[in-house]
Amino acid sequence: MRQYLFILLLVGFLSNARANVVASDTSVPNKTITVVQRTVPTPKISKNIVVDANNRYVGFNTSYLLQQLMPFNAIPIQQNMYGITYRKYRENKGCRISMGANLTDLNEDIQWLGFRIDRDRRKMINNHWLYFYGAGGGFEVFQNPEKTVFFVETEVNLVGQLHWGVEYKINQVMSLSMECQGTLKLGSNSSLVMRPPTVITAHFNVN
């Protein structure tokens, strides 16, 4: 009889101990993890930086083509812009080299010859339009169309020039531009010349 009582007491003691362990486990509070969302500010893109920076362009004067289609667009030789322009940019700043020449219709003598190097800066207006401006220097040689012997009665001038204009970006490869020029000539025929935006230049990305 005593053995049975001892076994019952032992079983009851073990049952109480197990109940206390379960109760202590269930009494641990649940921890709640709160996720805090942080707003990352969107960086602002300055309009001063052109999207296609660090690119090179070759431009061609379209007047010679347009004169064939629309003769009323003819421009006097001494007012003509440069035929070929090379531009290279680092972000919104760069340089450009321009050169050009005009020949007579009869004997192919050079009537006008020009070379210029400019510093250029451009800024975006929107996704397609931008404006540009800059300054540079070079030389121009102009011969009177009435003469037939090259470098007889010829004007040779050093030029300092300011330019400003607008450019329309058609796509990643091609764009069109027009510009005004204020030119100071020093030499055979020193003068101050204002050239209106009468020439359209087609530019092509050569990267």
Side-chain angles (χ1 to χ4, degrees), residues 22-183:
V22 173
S24 62
D25 291 340
T26 56
S27 62
V28 178
N30 294 330
K31 294 183 179 180
T32 303
I33 300 176
T34 304
V35 178
V36 179
Q37 296 182 353
R38 300 182 61 184
T39 303
V40 179
T42 302
K44 295 182 179 180
I45 300 176
S46 174
K47 290 184 178 182
N48 294 341
I49 299 178
V50 182
V51 176
D52 52 356
N54 303 316
N55 280 356
R56 296 170 295 169
Y57 304 86
V58 173
F60 300 94
N61 188 336
T62 61
S63 297
Y64 308 104
L65 175 61
L66 294 178
Q67 285 176 6
Q68 303 300 320
L69 302 176
M70 300 177 290
F72 59 85
N73 191 52
I75 302 170
I77 294 297
Q78 66 270 24
Q79 295 294 328
N80 217 338
M81 299 292 185
Y82 294 82
I84 300 176
T85 301
Y86 172 80
R87 303 185 300 169
K88 184 177 181 180
Y89 290 97
R90 182 182 179 88
E91 293 185 351
N92 61 336
K93 298 179 182 179
C95 65
R96 70 180 192 177
I97 300 174
S98 304
M99 61 187 71
N102 287 95
L103 305 177
T104 60
D105 295 333
L106 299 178
N107 51 20
E108 296 186 354
D109 287 337
I110 295 179
Q111 290 186 352
W112 178 85
L113 174 67
F115 178 84
R116 193 178 76 246
I117 299 177
D118 297 279
R119 294 293 296 174
D120 197 53
R121 185 183 181 95
R122 56 183 184 170
K123 294 185 178 181
M124 293 294 294
I125 300 174
N126 53 38
N127 292 334
H128 291 281
W129 288 96
L130 58 89
Y131 70 93
F132 58 92
Y133 57 91
F139 68 87
E140 290 185 358
V141 178
F142 176 69
Q143 183 185 15
N144 190 331
E146 301 294 330
K147 302 296 181 180
T148 58
V149 181
F150 184 59
F151 284 123
V152 175
E153 298 296 330
T154 300
E155 299 177 2
V156 180
N157 298 290
L158 296 177
V159 297
Q161 186 167 274
L162 300 176
H163 67 270
W164 57 96
V166 294
E167 184 173 348
Y168 180 76
K169 183 178 177 181
I170 300 175
N171 50 42
Q172 294 294 329
V173 177
M174 183 178 179
S175 63
L176 301 175
S177 71
M178 298 183 70
E179 68 179 63
C180 300
Q181 296 180 355
T183 304

Side-chain angles (χ1 to χ4, degrees), residues 189-207:
N189 185 19
S190 300
S191 60
L192 179 63
V193 180
M194 293 295 297
R195 292 174 175 170
T198 55
V199 174
I200 299 175
T201 303
H203 303 276
F204 298 91
N205 191 326
V206 295
N207 273 14

